[in-house]
Amino acid sequence: MARILSVWCRNWPITTWLRQQPPQSLRDSAPKGGASPPRSSPSGGGGPEGRRGPSPPVALLVSEGGTRRLAAVDDAAAALGLHIGQKAADAAALVPDLVTADHDPDGDRAALEILCDWCVRFSPAVAIDGLDGLFLDIEGVSHLWGGEAAMLDDLLDRLARWGAPARGAVADTPGAAWALARYAPDRTIAPPGGQAALLASLPVAALRLDEAAQAQLPRLGLFQTGQLLALPRAQLAKRFGLGTVLRIDQALGAAREALTFRRPATPWFDRLAFFEPISALSDLERVTADICVLLCARLEAEGQGARRFELVFHRLDGKDQPVRVGLSRPGRDAVRIAKLLKPKLDVVDPGFGIEVVTLWAADVEPLSTAQRSLDADGGVSLEEGLAPLVDRLINRLGEDRVWRADPHQSHVPERSVARRAPLDPLSEDTWDPDRPRPSRLLRRPEAIEVMAKLPDDPPVQFRWRGKSRRVRLAEGPERIGQEWWRKAFDEVGPGKVRDYYRVEDETGERFWIFRAGLYGDGEKAPKWWLHGLFG
C-alpha cells in the first residue's frame, strides 16, 4: 500500500501575501489613531521579518455583487471576531487598525504550484490538493531521510523557517492523510493499516463530505467519524448518499483515489543531501557520479533500465536547477549516464550553494544483461556498439536532429519516408527495388531550368543553383499522380501530375528530377524541379 504525506498550509492566501511584503510595510500601512493595542504577527503567516515587532491584523478582500467582503483573515483578525464573508465596512468598524489588500487567487495558485515543484526534493510524485495543500507519494523514498518522521519534520521545519508554516501527516491513503493533517495533532503518522483507529475520534468533517451531509450529520447526533464507521453501509448510502460511503472507503483504503501529480509518479528516485552546501563544478561532477551509481544499482538489482534521467540540484534559496538526458535504448550504466550529464553541468547556477541533489528515472522497462556473440572476440551487437555514440549526439544536438529514415507506405516521395529513432527496431516496410529512391531527398523541391524534347523526353541539360549540367544518361519517366484525398501537391507547383527522371551528368553525379504538369493540357506550362540526390 502507498504512503501519502499530506501538507496543509492553513491560511495560504494570508501566507503568500505576507511573504511579499517588506518588513516595515505592515506597521506603516496600519491606520493611525486606532484604539486597538499593538499585536505581534500571527503564528500562521509572515516571514521572519514579520515576527520582529508589532504588526496589525490583516484581511484580504474580494468584491461580491458590488460589496467588499473578507476573503481571508489572519489569526490576529480572527481573534478579534472577524470572519470570512464579513462585509469589509463592518470589519473596519470593529477593528480600526485592520490592514486590507485585494485577494489574488491566481497568485495564490501560482505560489502553490511553485511550492509543489519545490517539494520534488522530497518525492518525485507531488500533487496539488485544492487551494491550500499538497499530497506527496513517499513510498520508497522516506528511507532517504531516515524514516517518515524525520522526512515530515524536515519538510515542515523548512516551510516554517521560510515564513510558510504548515501542518502535515502521513497515512496509507490521501483521505486519511488529509484528515489527520487538519484535525489530528500536528505531524501525526498513521502506522501502515492503522488509520482507522486514528480517524475514529476525528469530526465527521475530516471525511471531506459534501455540505449537505456535513450539515445533516450533527443534527442526528453523529459528530465523530467512528460513529459513522459503526453504522451499516446500506443505511449510510440510503440516508446520506453514495458519496459518503465512497469518502469512507477512500479514507480506509477500500477504494482508490486518483491524484494528479505534477510529474509522472515513479519509484526510481534517489537523493543525496550534504552537511555543507556545494558550488564548485568539480563537486557537482563528483556528486553526479555518486548519485548515478546509487540509482543504477537499484535498476540493476530489479533487472530494469531507463531511457530518461533528470538530475536536479536544489539550491539553498529553494530554486531548482534541472539537467536532463535521454538514452536511445534503456540503460543503467552509471558511468555512461554520468558522462552524458557532466557536459551540461556548466549551465547549473549554484547560487549560494547546493544542499540537495536528486535523480529520477523515467520510461523504465525490463532490461536483461546484453547478450554477447559466441565468436572468439565476444563482441556486442551493432546496435549496442552504436548506442553510446547515438546518445552523445542526441544529448548534444537535440533529439529532433538525430533520426533514421524508414520507408512508409505511400507512393508520394514526401510521404514515403518516416522519421524513427536511430536504434528503433526496423520497420516491416521495405523500399521497392524496382523504383529506386535517392539517398538524400531535399526538404522542398528546388526549381531548375531544363532543355528537353517535347512532350515526354528526359532533359538533355539543366541549370541548378547557378551551375549548368549536361545530361549523359537518363531513366524514366516514372509517373506519380496526386493523392487527391490529401491534396499533397498543392504547395509544390501548378501541375497535378509528376513525371520523375533519374539522370546522370557528365561528372557522374546523379539527380532525381521531375516535371510537374503535362504539355498541351491547356493549363500553364509545366515546371521542372530537382527533388533528390543519389549517393
Side-chain angles (χ1 to χ4, degrees):
M1 185 173 292
R3 296 292 284 174
I4 304 296
L5 189 157
S6 175
V7 177
W8 177 40
C9 303
R10 185 170 56 85
N11 205 342
W12 186 245
I14 294 292
T15 298
T16 55
W17 186 84
L18 287 174
R19 282 178 51 81
Q20 297 171 2
Q21 308 309 308
Q24 190 64 24
S25 62
L26 287 180
R27 292 187 288 275
D28 293 344
S29 61
K32 305 302 181 182
S36 300
R39 281 169 291 272
S40 61
S41 64
S43 60
E49 67 275 4
R51 297 190 291 270
R52 292 173 184 169
S55 61
V58 178
L60 302 181
L61 307 180
V62 66
S63 297
E64 294 181 357
T67 303
R68 299 283 282 173
R69 297 184 180 274
L70 304 189
V73 296
D74 68 352
D75 289 348
L80 295 173
L82 304 187
H83 57 85
I84 296 175
Q86 188 176 18
K87 291 183 179 180
D90 295 342
L94 291 174
V95 184
D97 63 342
L98 180 68
V99 175
T100 60
D102 288 334
H103 181 215
D104 181 15
D106 293 336
D108 296 342
R109 177 70 180 189
L112 191 61
E113 291 177 353
I114 293 174
L115 179 61
C116 180
D117 293 336
W118 173 84
C119 283
V120 73
R121 67 183 60 200
F122 294 95
S123 170
V126 187
I128 293 178
D129 173 26
L131 302 176
D132 56 3
L134 299 173
F135 285 127
L136 285 73
D137 186 344
I138 61 173
E139 182 184 13
V141 299
S142 59
H143 68 280
L144 300 174
W145 280 259
E148 294 175 346
M151 181 181 188
L152 181 59
D153 290 340
D154 189 6
L155 193 159
L156 298 182
D157 290 345
R158 287 175 182 268
L159 293 179
R161 288 197 300 269
W162 294 341
R167 292 168 54 91
V170 179
D172 291 342
T173 65
W178 187 96
L180 296 175
R182 287 157 176 79
Y183 295 95
D186 191 20
R187 309 190 184 191
T188 297
I189 298 179
Q195 60 265 15
L198 296 176
L199 293 175
S201 60
L202 302 184
V204 293
L207 293 175
R208 301 176 295 170
L209 305 179
D210 57 58
E211 295 182 2
Q214 287 192 39
Q216 187 179 12
L217 287 170
R219 291 198 291 266
L220 299 176
L222 300 174
F223 299 97
Q224 294 182 333
T225 301
Q227 295 175 287
L228 285 182
L229 299 180
L231 295 177
R233 292 173 57 86
Q235 293 184 12
L236 281 176
K238 183 177 181 180
R239 186 68 180 269
F240 304 108
L242 292 176
T244 300
V245 177
L246 176 62
R247 284 303 192 187
I248 294 175
D249 290 342
Q250 288 177 340
L252 298 180
R256 285 189 170 273
E257 180 176 355
L259 299 180
T260 304
F261 295 108
R262 292 273 287 176
R263 64 172 64 194
T266 173
W268 305 107
F269 173 85
D270 250 299
R271 169 185 182 270
L272 287 178
F274 315 116
F275 288 107
E276 295 291 339
I278 63 174
S279 58
L281 179 59
S282 59
D283 292 335
L284 300 185
E285 293 177 348
R286 186 175 65 256
V287 299
T288 297
D290 292 342
I291 197 169
C292 286
V293 170
L294 290 177
L295 185 57
C296 290
R298 290 180 53 207
L299 289 170
E300 184 173 4
E302 297 292 335
Q304 304 287 323
R307 290 180 180 267
R308 292 190 297 116
F309 294 85
E310 179 173 297
L311 178 69
V312 184
F313 296 92
H314 304 278
R315 305 192 325 191
L316 283 171
D317 58 3
K319 294 184 179 179
D320 299 334
Q321 300 284 305
V323 176
R324 303 176 180 87
V325 296
L327 303 182
S328 56
R329 300 168 66 88
R332 55 174 181 249
D333 186 345
V335 175
R336 176 177 158 201
I337 296 168
K339 285 184 178 179
L340 295 176
L341 287 167
K342 285 180 180 179
K344 300 188 176 186
L345 300 183
D346 292 336
V347 302
V348 175
D349 179 10
F352 293 105
I354 305 294
E355 60 175 345
V356 174
V357 174
T358 59
L359 177 67
W360 70 286
D363 295 341
V364 177
E365 57 188 80
L367 176 65
S368 59
T369 303
Q371 175 65 50
R372 298 183 177 271
S373 62
L374 299 179
D375 57 16
D377 296 334
V380 298
S381 64
L382 177 62
E383 291 80 4
E384 292 293 338
L386 286 177
L389 172 62
V390 172
D391 293 339
R392 288 197 298 271
L393 292 175
I394 288 177
N395 287 283
R396 181 169 296 181
L397 304 177
E399 189 173 357
D400 58 335
R401 296 187 177 183
V402 182
W403 50 277
R404 183 188 74 211
D406 271 7
H408 178 69
Q409 287 289 353
S410 176
H411 65 277
V412 177
E414 296 93 315
R415 299 182 184 276
S416 62
V417 176
R419 291 190 176 192
R420 297 285 187 270
L423 300 182
D424 275 359
L426 294 177
S427 172
E428 296 182 357
D429 298 326
T430 58
W431 303 109
D432 186 351
D434 295 330
R435 295 189 295 176
R437 291 292 183 259
S439 57
R440 179 189 173 193
L441 193 69
L442 301 182
R443 179 173 296 183
R444 293 183 180 178
E446 297 183 12
I448 57 176
E449 299 175 7
V450 170
M451 293 178 58
K453 297 181 180 179
L454 301 182
D456 296 324
D457 278 15
V460 296
Q461 186 174 336
F462 67 93
R463 177 179 291 273
W464 176 54
R465 294 183 178 178
K467 182 178 179 180
S468 180
R469 300 174 184 271
R470 182 173 295 277
V471 177
R472 185 177 66 177
L473 298 173
E475 294 179 341
E478 177 189 341
R479 177 159 293 180
I480 298 179
Q482 180 194 21
E483 283 187 341
W484 51 267
W485 59 94
R486 290 180 175 175
K487 299 182 179 179
F489 294 100
D490 288 352
E491 73 281 1
V492 174
K496 303 300 182 181
V497 176
R498 295 179 182 180
D499 284 334
Y500 277 87
Y501 297 89
R502 296 181 294 277
V503 301
E504 180 180 319
D505 66 4
E506 293 178 331
T507 64
E509 295 185 78
R510 302 183 66 200
F511 306 89
W512 205 38
I513 63 179
F514 70 89
R515 180 185 63 239
L518 301 174
Y519 288 104
D521 61 356
E523 298 183 2
K524 295 181 180 180
K527 292 185 177 181
W528 288 83
W529 307 81
L530 191 146
H531 202 173
L533 306 173
F534 290 90

